[in-house]
Amino acid sequence: MATEAQENVEETIDSEIWLEMIYKLLSENEVRRMAAIVQPPIQGFKNPVKAPPAMLRKKTVEKIKKFTNPVSWMEKWYDPNVMKVKEAKIDFEEFCHTYRIGDTVSPAEAVAVTGILFPALFNENVVKMQQNIEEKKHPLEELGTKKLAFKRQLQIKALAWEDPPATDAVRFLMEEALDLNPEIEGSLKDWLQEKGSVESGEIASLASTKMGEISKWTEGEKAAFFQMAFHDSQKAVWKIMTDLLKEKGDLEREDKAKERKLKRLEKLNTDREEAEAVFKKVISGLESKLTAAEAELEKTRTSMQAEKDSLMQQQISLTQAAAARGADEYRLVKESDFVLITRSDREDYANLLPAEQIITIRDTQDLLEHQLESGIKYIFVHSDSFSSKEQFYLDELIEAYERPFKSVSGGVSAVTRQIIYYFEGAMINEINT
């Protein structure tokens, strides 16, 4: 059995079996990462990655199968994983141990790397790997049973636990939290020898960025440096944790202050709601009183309208009685020695003034067509019926009649009262002569 990690150009595998095993073993996260690249068309989803897992898996696999060379595409996809194993010079026995250390080697990755780097061993163990898959086991289960030396075990574990994104994230956190800028010129060894003192976290940060140089040191140098880095990382983590705990305490105090403020606001809100309830009760009482007052007003209005209708009916009855007797004793003004010039109709003054003594004109020129009888002594002009210009012109025409005249204003009733008042002699001297 070959044990070196090498590409065997003479050995070929059943690519269809290899691909189907990978398709079946892909985790939901791996499917989504592939779907983000191949963009399988899924109806109803502009972004296919948001589709349900089962549908996304089906459509992603279908899209990959339609590629001209799906084997080549899959080899490129897993090339970073293959390069990692090749650079570490891990053989198949050692590779089989990596899945037992943690979940860094996924089942799909294990099948992919085995088929690419160890094709002969893939063909030799494919039946067992398929059996493991059917039994819901890791495909490398019970493979690579050779016991490794302790040192090699540690090396394999270090490789399996290596996580570049996590390493970069921790280094970035330390540099930001501790305000570090551990960039050095020249070699790390020279820097360490020349540096009088270092900031907390500097050694730990450099340990993750200078591995290329450190790997060339002697075992003793590496052991001493990594011991320094370990202690430095502890100090850095303790400082970060102390700062975080302080910040956590500050936030907790802020939260308590906010909670107290929230309780005060809740009390104010409760008081406001109670005040609103009282206000609504008062408003409801006022609305009830207003409704009762409106009802009483409507009742009074109805009563007054009924009384008015009754009085109007009595007036109509009196008018009809007067007409039947041919009498005019019901008129308010019985004098016959005046005329009223107005634009109003004679009917407006029924039962108030004698109709024959009302001169209705539409235009001031109409007055020229009227001849006053010799018994007419006074002329009244309804000034509200005419404009100032018309009133001035009428005054000139009326002067030609050589009769006293007076302007009266207001509605029908007001005009009638003024004429009565004049005839009673209270203002007779005011009539123009």
Side-chain angles (χ1 to χ4, degrees), residues 86-254:
K86 288 177 66 175
E87 290 172 359
K89 298 180 180 180
I90 294 176
D91 62 22
F92 181 69
E93 287 282 348
E94 294 170 337
F95 180 66
C96 289
H97 281 276
T98 58
Y99 88 91
R100 301 188 183 95
I101 300 170
D103 58 357
T104 55
V105 180
S106 71
E109 180 186 341
V111 171
V113 173
T114 301
I116 296 171
L117 277 183
F118 314 107
L121 296 172
F122 176 85
N123 291 333
E124 181 180 331
N125 295 284
V126 67
V127 175
K128 178 59 178 175
M129 294 170 72
Q130 288 177 315
Q131 180 182 345
N132 286 339
I133 294 171
E134 292 300 322
E135 295 176 358
K136 308 298 182 184
K137 299 178 181 178
H138 195 283
L140 299 182
E141 181 78 25
E142 298 179 10
L143 301 180
T145 57
K146 184 178 70 175
K147 184 174 180 59
L148 302 178
F150 178 68
K151 179 180 177 181
R152 192 55 178 165
Q153 288 184 33
L154 294 179
Q155 291 173 334
I156 297 299
K157 288 180 180 180
L159 177 68
W161 288 342
E162 184 180 345
D163 189 346
T167 301
D168 292 340
V170 170
R171 185 177 70 254
F172 176 78
L173 173 63
M174 290 176 60
E175 292 175 359
E176 287 294 313
L178 303 175
D179 194 23
L180 299 176
N181 185 24
E183 294 294 333
I184 63 174
E185 296 181 2
S187 71
L188 174 60
K189 186 177 292 187
D190 292 340
W191 182 83
L192 288 170
Q193 290 174 342
E194 296 172 1
K195 190 76 171 177
S197 61
V198 295
E199 298 291 335
S200 177
E202 277 189 302
I203 300 297
S205 177
L206 290 169
S208 64
T209 59
K210 296 292 185 178
M211 285 303 298
E213 178 185 344
I214 297 170
S215 63
K216 299 175 184 178
W217 294 358
T218 65
E219 293 298 323
E221 290 173 335
K222 286 189 287 188
F225 177 77
F226 285 131
Q227 186 176 14
M228 288 174 57
F230 172 72
H231 292 310
D232 185 46
S233 64
Q234 284 184 316
K235 290 166 58 179
V237 170
W238 172 245
K239 186 178 186 309
I240 293 172
M241 289 299 297
T242 301
D243 293 341
L244 288 175
L245 289 172
K246 181 179 181 302
E247 184 177 350
K248 179 175 179 290
D250 294 340
L251 290 174
E252 287 177 348
R253 284 189 290 274
E254 289 180 9

Side-chain angles (χ1 to χ4, degrees), residues 315 330-334 348-354 412-413 416:
Q315 184 180 12
Y330 295 101
R331 290 196 185 101
L332 293 177
V333 179
K334 300 177 182 179
D348 295 341
Y349 291 90
N351 301 320
L352 298 175
L353 301 175
V412 172
S413 298
T416 303

